[in-house]
Amino acid sequence: MKFKIQHLQAAVALVLASIQPQPKAVACQPTIVERVFEMGARVNKTDIEDLTAALNALAGDLRDSRVELSRYADNDFEGAVKTAKEIQSQTVHVAGIAESFVLMLPEKDIIMSYDKHTVEFAFVRAIKMVSIATKNYLSLIDQLIRTTDVRDSDVSFSGMNHLLDTGNKAAAKWH
């Protein structure tokens, strides 16, 4: 099942609110969470599994896109910079939604009380994976786009050549 990111956001809020309503969820997404409570919505394990699969697919897509952009930068740095600039705002939007997922999560002690083999734990783990993948992707985009001023290092080239010659002579004695 494919989700648009806005639908994914609403679905995550729905599931989190049905698992255990959290004050953090209300603070992060008040309208969505209010609608969930108004509907008295309950989700079943299949819904959570489907959403977990969608989150895992999103995390995988983000990882794949990061690898692809990294490879592109290795082959055509200028082209990769142009692409990074084009996708930056969309990626920032996805990152904001991913971070809202994390902010809506229950407290750590509640999460750790879940059995590691439950659908709820897998769901929470998928949310964290999306967050990590998004941050990594944004980090690469930032590395490609960011420019810094050229600084003079005050390195003495004759001193560097002297160190190189001395090092090569010393290494030759040991072989």
Side-chain angles (χ1 to χ4, degrees):
M1 175 183 296
K2 290 282 186 182
F3 288 92
K4 287 187 177 182
I5 192 70
Q6 294 82 1
H7 298 149
L8 195 59
Q9 183 180 22
V12 167
L14 174 70
V15 170
L16 287 172
S18 73
I19 291 174
Q20 183 167 352
Q22 295 294 319
K24 286 184 178 181
V26 175
C28 293
Q29 298 294 333
T31 306
I32 295 171
V33 176
E34 283 175 24
R35 295 289 185 272
V36 170
F37 289 132
E38 286 172 9
M39 294 174 357
R42 292 285 170 238
V43 293
N44 60 38
K45 298 243 186 254
T46 304
D47 295 333
I48 298 173
E49 289 170 349
D50 289 347
L51 187 53
T52 300
L55 288 168
N56 285 329
L58 176 60
D61 289 347
L62 288 165
R63 283 189 299 270
D64 292 346
S65 295
R66 181 181 177 278
V67 168
E68 187 177 322
L69 183 59
S70 179
R71 285 186 184 142
Y72 186 36
D74 288 342
N75 297 325
D76 179 8
F77 187 77
E78 294 303 318
V81 168
K82 182 180 177 197
T83 300
K85 287 178 181 177
E86 292 170 0
I87 62 174
Q88 182 183 24
S89 65
Q90 181 182 10
T91 308
V92 167
H93 177 71
V94 172
I97 291 173
E99 195 55 32
S100 77
F101 295 166
V102 172
L103 292 173
M104 288 188 279
L105 287 174
E107 300 298 325
K108 185 177 181 179
D109 58 330
I110 295 170
I111 294 170
M112 297 311 291
S113 71
Y114 296 143
D115 182 338
K116 305 289 187 247
H117 303 289
T118 62
V119 293
E120 291 85 3
F121 189 80
F123 175 70
V124 169
R125 185 171 179 269
I127 288 173
K128 289 300 284 180
M129 295 311 293
V130 167
S131 175
I132 291 167
T134 306
K135 287 177 184 175
N136 289 340
Y137 194 32
L138 269 180
S139 176
L140 175 62
I141 290 170
D142 185 51
Q143 290 172 37
L144 290 171
I145 292 175
R146 186 182 327 129
T147 57
T148 58
D149 296 329
V150 175
R151 295 179 288 176
D152 188 10
S153 65
D154 293 327
V155 171
S156 166
F157 289 109
S158 62
M160 290 293 287
N161 285 330
H162 174 71
L163 284 173
L164 177 65
D165 289 339
T166 307
N168 285 340
K169 287 176 186 175
K173 289 180 182 178
W174 290 97
H175 288 357

